[in-house]
Amino acid sequence: MSAARSARLRGTGSGARPTVRDGSEASDTFEEHRRLLLGLGYRLLGSMWDAEDVVQEAYLRWMRTDRSPIREPRAFLVTVVTHLALDQLRSARVTREAYTGPWLPEPVDGQAFGPLESAELRDTLSYATVHMMERLSPPERAVFVLREAFDLTYDEVAGILESSPATCRQWHHRAVGRLAERRGRFVADPREHSRLVERFLAAARGGDITALADLLAEDAIAYNDGGGRVRAALRPIVGRRNVLAFVTGLMSRYPLEEAYVTQANGEPAIWTVIGGQRQLVAFDVRDGRIHGVFAVLDPDKLASVGPANTA
């Protein structure tokens, strides 16, 4: 790739008219893109906390940069955030491997990054998809997000990742294949998702074991993330029979103090307080069954989806 082509994909180019001329205008320009950049950072990192850190660092770099050659602030900022997020993701993977129990993404308000105007934006924000993206290598995850959520061409992605379009195409193909192995298809019917979540809550409230069993896929898996701070299952619970036993056992031992359908990551989820413990439960719904149950109990991960943040 030529130097000129690479510079254009980063939003720079010699002889370009300055996009911004002073600090106030530069700050305003950045704010125009903040939600988009947060959405990029979150999809790459699975953590709103980390995404905010990355975006703040990008802001500082933007304000310190000689902006006179920057023709396309959006392209420049997407490149900066992608690089910062990938650096953080590589170090975070080591920490997550040593995590107490299963590490789950931080659930977020579905409107935190702006309207979800396309199926691709909704799907790449879906809790199940963000969780599955943990299986991808950092480059695979970056290409998948940039292609699927932001509709960039392989040439544009290659410019951001400083790779070749052919390599990026391979990374994308590998990412799609790995996610498809886990999920079969990405996008569930929103009405089906909502209906199954509401039926799950009603069955759990009523202790209806038959109804719960009918909702769960044979290969269902339940994950519980307490972050080592609150009591939670330390290993994934695999299989319909085991998930059913876990859910019914939990409901029989502890009082259900609060439970209602809310939203997380743009999809229906359940907010509960059981035995004094708050948790957000998200679901992987496909083919008319619940294949994944994701219970987030770590208080640090509930800041964006607690009762004060729900409609």
Side-chain angles (χ1 to χ4, degrees):
M1 179 179 294
S2 70
R5 172 64 173 165
S6 180
R8 191 185 73 78
L9 293 172
R10 287 170 178 77
T12 64
S14 61
R17 183 173 60 85
T19 303
V20 290
R21 291 192 174 93
D22 56 48
S24 176
E25 189 176 350
S27 182
D28 289 345
T29 298
F30 188 91
E31 291 306 318
E32 290 174 11
H33 298 91
R34 181 178 288 275
R35 290 210 292 178
L36 176 145
L37 299 173
L38 279 171
L40 172 60
Y42 173 79
R43 288 172 171 87
L44 291 176
L45 294 165
S47 165
M48 190 64 162
W49 182 280
D50 290 340
E52 288 172 343
D53 281 350
V54 161
V55 171
Q56 181 60 22
E57 176 60 27
Y59 172 78
L60 296 175
R61 294 192 182 191
W62 169 251
M63 297 302 290
R64 293 194 300 260
T65 295
D66 174 11
R67 296 177 297 277
S68 59
I70 298 175
R71 295 189 301 182
E72 302 172 22
R74 181 182 185 274
F76 177 88
L77 293 170
V78 164
T79 299
V80 171
V81 168
T82 299
H83 280 266
L84 290 172
L86 287 178
D87 287 344
Q88 187 150 329
L89 182 60
R90 291 183 180 101
S91 61
R93 285 164 71 90
V94 176
T95 303
R96 292 172 189 180
E97 288 173 0
Y99 195 77
T100 301
W103 185 92
L104 292 178
E106 178 184 350
V108 294
D109 180 351
Q111 296 299 312
F113 315 121
L116 301 176
E117 297 173 338
S118 68
E120 290 77 15
L121 280 173
R122 291 191 296 274
D123 181 52
T124 55
L125 188 61
S126 157
Y127 196 88
T129 301
V130 176
H131 175 253
M132 294 302 173
M133 283 196 288
E134 286 294 306
R135 274 75 171 177
L136 305 179
S137 70
E140 289 169 352
R141 186 166 183 166
V143 172
F144 180 79
V145 169
L146 292 169
R147 283 281 297 159
E148 300 292 324
F150 297 93
D151 198 29
L152 299 186
T153 67
Y154 285 113
D155 282 345
E156 289 169 331
V157 174
I160 291 171
L161 298 183
E162 300 177 346
S163 186
S164 70
T167 298
C168 290
R169 192 182 299 273
Q170 290 175 351
W171 280 333
H172 182 253
H173 179 75
R174 198 176 305 152
V176 170
R178 288 183 177 178
L179 292 175
E181 286 174 7
R182 297 273 182 170
R183 299 197 63 196
R185 61 184 174 89
F186 293 143
V187 183
D189 184 329
R191 290 171 297 181
E192 175 188 60
H193 194 121
S194 181
R195 178 175 58 85
L196 289 179
V197 170
E198 289 173 357
R199 288 176 58 193
F200 183 93
L201 177 56
R205 273 176 169 163
D208 190 335
I209 297 176
T210 301
L212 280 174
D214 185 55
L215 294 172
L216 295 169
E218 186 67 35
D219 62 352
I221 304 178
Y223 304 86
N224 293 263
D225 181 351
R229 300 184 57 195
V230 299
R231 189 171 183 178
L234 296 178
R235 291 182 177 83
I237 301 157
V238 181
R240 175 195 288 156
R241 181 179 300 177
N242 292 329
V243 173
L244 186 63
F246 177 79
V247 172
T248 55
L250 185 68
M251 299 298 293
S252 67
R253 286 196 302 272
Y254 301 102
L256 181 61
E257 301 159 33
E258 207 176 306
Y260 56 85
V261 175
T262 180
Q263 71 84 19
N265 292 58
E267 296 176 329
I270 296 174
W271 174 266
T272 68
V273 180
I274 302 177
Q277 177 60 57
R278 305 186 313 154
Q279 61 181 301
L280 187 286
V281 185
F283 299 87
D284 177 11
V285 170
R286 47 194 163 90
D287 304 322
R289 291 288 186 275
I290 293 172
H291 287 253
V293 181
F294 309 99
V296 181
L297 298 89
D298 184 345
D300 287 343
K301 293 185 177 181
L302 297 176
S304 299
V305 290
N309 299 286
T310 57

